[in-house]
Amino acid sequence: MSNPFTGTATACYHCGEDCGTEPIQAYNKNFCCEGCKSVYEILNKTGMCDYYAINNNPGNSQKIKVRHNQFAFLDDESVQKALTVFKDSTQTHVTFYLPHMHCSSCLWLIENLHRLNENIISSKVNFTRKEADIVFNHSQTSMRKVAELLTSIGYEPYISLQNLQQQKPRINRSKIYKLGVAGFCFANIMLLSFPEYLGIDDKEKNLINLFRYMSVLLSLPVVLYAATEFYNSAFKSLRHKYLNIDIPIVFAIWVTFIRSMVEIFTNTGSGYLDSMCGIVFFMLAGRILQDKTYEQLNFDRDYTAYFPIAVSRINNNKEEIVTLPNIQLDDTLLIHHQELIPADGILTKGKALIDYSFVTGESLPIEKQMGEMIYAGGKQLNSNIELLVIKEVAQSYLTKLWNRSTFKVAEQKAKHSFVDALSRYFTWIVFAIAAIAGLYWYIHDVSKLWQAVTAVLIVACPCALLLSNTFTNGTILRRLGKNNFYLRNATTIEAIAKVDYIVFDKTGTLTTGRYENITYNGIPLTESLKIKIATLTAQSTHPLSKAIVQWLKASGSTKITGYREVPGMGIEGMVEEEWIAIGAKQFITKEEAGADDASTVYLAVEGTTIGKFIFKNSYRPGLHGLSKQLQKKYALAVLSGDNSGEKSFLQTLLGFKAVTLFHQKPNDKLQFIEQLQSQGHTVMMVGDGLNDAGSLQQANVGIAISENSNNFTPASDVILDAAQLHHLPAFIQLAKANRWIIMTAFAVSIIYNIIGIYFAVQGTLSPMIAAILMPASTISIVCITYGLSNLYAKKLKLK
Amino acid sequence: MSVIVVLLIASISVAALFLAAFLWSVKSGQYNDEASPPIRILFNDATITETNKSDETNTNNDQKTDIIP
């Protein structure tokens, strides 16, 4: 066991977090909070402490307490029905998404749930998806109890409105079946072709015919089933009046097949069935490699994944559970601490302090008075409030924002790859060669015409190009995924390479959205004054007050009298005979405050202003290097929904050419990007919140930043782990390299094609030459694309 | 000659069996989750005795008492 302690800090036995100065000691162990201790108690009682033996401090921090009736909505039948996968007279199967699952201990504990509650029959974890399939006896326990048990041991199920409305898309495995069939047929036809290639006695002519007919039989599943993958895509592109690479490939497959049939049934040759099946097999493998999907990620989330499934409604002074779609006008909703506001409404009871950072990009929470309008999407930070609904969920500001921005979905984004264009040139050249060869043989020896023309068409199918393309895309997708840069699909690689303008969001993207940098300007604070200020600020739940308490590193213990909190303004009180006030400029100095003073807090003692605290967003590490590299090649811009307090800093960070705009509404951001696009720019948008949802869709490439890749991210083309943001230039470089790697591999494979054509135009392309050229060309393409992509990624110092 | 035909039928039917096994394994969802089974397989063997573990934690606690002011 490694020592989990560093310096004077004590790590919590359960979650490994710093216990601070006063750890809770119990059972000879230290805990950071009561929650962690109680999880330990539960596990200890049932003899399940193996949990701690598998990994050190495997638990999840329990500092945020869970409300006792948080899962009351699971008693509601319609909610139950939506979550149940299968139900019979005794058992219910339910799948919960458990975002806190992170290590093998978690898996062990969750799969041993039946030891904590005997009415749970079984639980099975899917680790990549962070899901648990739980089977329980519903006559003895309930879904709510199961959810509460999970929460009590630190794995709170995440249940959102999306669970109620959407069915999970089924995984399409048809390509893998096709690959299996193609592989089977290819290998067997190859075996059957060997005798003929290696020379077989004339005496055994009958055998040769048998082998050939067997090959025909085995090739049918490939032509009629495995290759349908390409038929579908070719047919689709024809319908859109666009020539993609699959069209010449389908053409070549059929030319090969028909010529082989003719040869075999007229007894003039053995055909090229082995090469044909082989190429279909390799091309399918490339397609599968390229279509790598990240099951744990969802690139199409909408607001429903962000909203809760149900909330509390007050009806005749009684609390009841109502699912979100059933919320009606004039309902009174009870919003608990840390709960999301689901519908626009008017505050009727309690003090609201609402964190809108995810919706609007404003980093400071907003205080609201009774009678004020509250928009959906914010998170209540204070204690419980009551809300009179004035707009239904589907009509609320946030929902409309979403619907407005998604009417132009990804569809319109160009999916036309340069590979398609290249394949078109290639096809014309091939046709030209075929025509010339045809003309030559028409004049000299008509009997060879058919052979030469079909052989040219067979050899020159652009499958090498398709293989280079899919294998390179697949390798690069994986390489980027290893670095937590997850692409929606392969076409995004090309889109990234074309970008010339990069737009960043500020809150949550460049900054962490938390206030960790505080500077104090003014008369130096004495130790005793620090204690007094800490006493005062400790009274308030405002995040800035909390940040000040932490910054002062003093624990206020002195008495306070006459404490008063003016919402949206500040706090004041008499601490040890001294009147201390702290708050907004207007509150302390009575002067009008500029919009950009929002992140400055003034301090007054006995009526005289003695200083101010300036809050700076804490920026993600490595931004200087990032902007230095990007500035050279790209135009940069920052669009922030926040105040312009950080303008000068951002300007020095991103260079003076960069555009910095503040107080940007979601729609402003969208329009800014539209404007850039109309000027001919290809725009990449990097953002995180719902306020960026529209612009992420509108941009040619939308990158959603995620603190934890399983939390909510708006629909986007790419999901990037926040900790990897500083690698962005390298990611773009790698995406750009994609094109020349494809070209290199293609150029090499053309050599094989030229050899093939050399034989083909003479009408002497034997099946054996084709059977050697095809795999040789494939292997060299795979080696080149795999090698070059990984070498280049290494050069960029990527994982 | 007939030997070859028999062998041919035998080899193709064996291969077809493997193909069927492959298709079945994909269909039954064995490739749906590639991360959990390798973790799960370790647990059957990894039962750690209670005494062992408490020894370890005790030594940790000794260190702790030194550190905490």
Side-chain angles (χ1 to χ4, degrees), chain A residues 1 3 5 7-8 10 13 28 30 49-50 53-54 104 107-108 111 124-128 173 176-177 180 184 192 210 214 295, chain B residues 1 4-5 8 12 15-16 19 22-23 26-27 31-33 35-36 39-40 43 48 53 56-58 60-61 63-64 67-68:
Chain A
M1 215 183 230
N3 189 353
F5 311 111
T8 52
T10 314
Y13 185 69
N28 274 340
N30 290 306
C49 282
D50 277 2
I54 300 163
S104 48
L107 187 137
W108 181 83
E111 297 208 331
K124 193 161 186 244
V125 167
N126 183 324
F127 198 71
T128 6
R173 300 213 172 273
I176 302 203
Y177 299 142
F184 165 79
L192 293 171
L210 174 72
M214 292 286 295
E295 274 184 46
Chain B
M1 180 189 130
I4 295 228
V5 177
L8 195 69
I12 288 187
L19 176 68
F22 171 73
L23 295 182
V26 174
K27 194 161 192 159
Y31 297 95
N32 287 358
D33 181 11
S36 321
I39 304 173
R40 202 173 285 136
F43 292 139
I48 295 138
K53 196 163 42 92
E56 271 179 304
T57 40
N58 279 340
N60 274 333
N61 277 310
Q63 290 168 355
K64 244 176 257 179
I67 294 162
I68 298 164

Side-chain angles (χ1 to χ4, degrees), chain A residues 285-525:
Chain A
R287 281 275 155 96
I288 288 169
L289 193 77
Q290 177 187 259
D291 289 350
K292 159 104 186 148
T293 48
Y294 302 99
E295 274 184 46
Q296 74 274 31
L297 299 175
N298 188 343
F299 291 93
D300 296 307
R301 285 198 182 113
D302 63 8
Y303 67 95
T304 54
Y306 181 61
F307 273 17
I309 196 166
V311 286
S312 315
R313 176 166 67 187
I314 294 181
N315 197 357
N316 296 329
N317 289 326
K318 261 194 273 172
E319 225 181 283
E320 60 175 22
I321 299 298
V322 56
T323 54
L324 240 54
N326 291 327
I327 294 177
Q328 280 160 5
L329 290 186
D330 299 328
D331 278 352
T332 303
L333 303 179
L334 178 68
I335 311 291
H336 300 90
H337 173 66
Q338 288 290 339
E339 242 179 12
L340 205 75
I341 290 149
D344 296 350
I346 289 170
L347 183 64
T348 54
K349 197 175 166 189
K351 261 195 267 176
L353 180 67
I354 297 164
D355 174 12
Y356 276 116
S357 57
F358 204 65
V359 184
T360 61
E362 290 161 290
S363 51
L364 281 179
I366 294 164
E367 302 198 32
K368 293 275 184 181
Q369 302 294 317
M370 292 245 276
E372 270 191 279
M373 172 93 175
I374 296 181
Y375 289 110
K379 201 178 232 175
Q380 162 68 347
L381 298 181
N382 267 350
S383 49
N384 300 358
I385 52 169
E386 279 176 24
L387 194 73
L388 182 74
V389 178
I390 56 166
K391 270 182 190 163
E392 287 165 38
V393 177
Q395 299 296 320
S396 70
Y397 172 69
L398 182 71
T399 319
K400 275 207 221 143
L401 191 83
W402 200 285
N403 293 339
R404 181 172 48 195
S405 57
T406 44
F407 63 87
K408 24 185 158 187
V409 248
E411 274 308 307
Q412 60 154 47
K413 282 186 192 172
K415 276 187 181 164
H416 299 171
S417 166
F418 79 95
V419 171
D420 293 331
L422 202 63
S423 84
R424 239 171 294 157
Y425 290 121
F426 189 75
T427 310
W428 286 124
I429 293 171
V430 169
F431 278 144
I433 295 174
I436 293 166
L439 198 68
Y440 176 86
W441 288 115
Y442 182 73
I443 297 163
H444 289 92
D445 183 356
V446 185
S447 68
K448 278 194 170 178
L449 173 74
W450 153 256
Q451 278 194 356
V453 171
T454 49
V456 169
L457 293 178
I458 290 168
V459 168
C461 115
C463 37
L465 184 58
L466 185 110
L467 284 172
S468 328
N469 187 27
T470 51
F471 279 105
T472 312
N473 286 344
T475 320
I476 285 180
L477 272 178
R478 272 173 183 71
R479 201 73 204 206
L480 291 173
K482 245 192 200 170
N483 289 281
N484 300 343
F485 188 80
Y486 303 104
L487 270 64
R488 178 200 280 265
N489 54 30
T491 44
T492 314
I493 299 179
E494 273 187 55
I496 291 175
K498 282 187 202 140
V499 164
D500 64 354
Y501 206 113
I502 304 179
V503 181
F504 291 97
D505 164 55
K506 192 195 82 169
T507 316
T509 304
L510 295 178
T511 70
T512 55
R514 290 185 293 270
Y515 284 100
E516 278 155 5
N517 282 331
I518 302 178
T519 42
Y520 173 75
N521 271 352
I523 303 165
L525 300 173

